[in-house]
Amino acid sequence: MGKIPITVTVDEEVFEGFKKLCEKKDLKVSTKVNTLMREWINNNEEER
Protein backbone atom coordinates (compact mmCIF):
# COMPACT_ATOMS: atom_id res chain seq x y z
CA MET A 1 0.00 0.00 0.00
CA GLY A 2 1.49 3.32 -1.05
CA LYS A 3 1.50 6.49 0.97
CA ILE A 4 0.65 10.00 -0.16
CA PRO A 5 1.52 13.34 1.43
CA ILE A 6 -1.43 15.42 2.59
CA THR A 7 -1.97 18.87 4.04
CA VAL A 8 -4.32 19.20 6.99
CA THR A 9 -5.27 22.42 8.73
CA VAL A 10 -5.76 22.17 12.50
CA ASP A 11 -5.76 24.61 15.38
CA GLU A 12 -2.21 25.40 16.48
CA GLU A 13 -3.04 24.56 20.11
CA VAL A 14 -4.43 21.15 19.12
CA PHE A 15 -1.42 20.33 16.95
CA GLU A 16 1.11 21.35 19.61
CA GLY A 17 -0.62 19.21 22.23
CA PHE A 18 -0.82 16.25 19.84
CA LYS A 19 2.83 16.64 18.84
CA LYS A 20 3.97 16.78 22.49
CA LEU A 21 2.00 13.65 23.34
CA CYS A 22 3.47 11.82 20.35
CA GLU A 23 6.99 12.84 21.41
CA LYS A 24 6.31 11.76 24.99
CA LYS A 25 5.08 8.36 23.80
CA ASP A 26 7.91 8.08 21.24
CA LEU A 27 5.50 8.01 18.28
CA LYS A 28 5.82 9.59 14.85
CA VAL A 29 3.04 12.12 14.29
CA SER A 30 2.31 10.86 10.77
CA THR A 31 2.12 7.23 11.92
CA LYS A 32 -0.27 8.12 14.73
CA VAL A 33 -2.47 10.20 12.42
CA ASN A 34 -2.59 7.28 9.97
CA THR A 35 -3.58 4.90 12.80
CA LEU A 36 -6.29 7.24 14.09
CA MET A 37 -7.72 7.69 10.60
CA ARG A 38 -7.75 3.91 10.03
CA GLU A 39 -9.51 3.33 13.38
CA TRP A 40 -12.09 6.01 12.57
CA ILE A 41 -12.79 4.45 9.17
CA ASN A 42 -13.18 1.01 10.72
CA ASN A 43 -15.56 2.39 13.35
CA ASN A 44 -17.65 4.11 10.67
CA GLU A 45 -17.50 1.44 7.98
CA GLU A 46 -21.28 1.37 7.56
CA GLU A 47 -21.18 4.96 6.22
CA ARG A 48 -18.78 4.16 3.36
Side-chain angles (χ1 to χ4, degrees), residues 1 3 29-39:
M1 179 183 303
K3 298 196 181 229
V29 171
S30 60
T31 301
K32 185 60 180 174
V33 169
N34 190 71
T35 300
L36 291 170
M37 289 175 70
R38 185 182 311 272
E39 288 173 4

Side-chain angles (χ1 to χ4, degrees), residues 10 12-24 27-34 36:
V10 296
E12 186 175 355
E13 180 181 299
V14 171
F15 179 70
E16 287 304 319
F18 184 73
K19 192 167 98 173
K20 284 179 185 177
L21 283 170
C22 285
E23 288 173 4
K24 185 177 181 179
L27 299 167
K28 287 180 65 179
V29 171
S30 60
T31 301
K32 185 60 180 174
V33 169
N34 190 71
L36 291 170

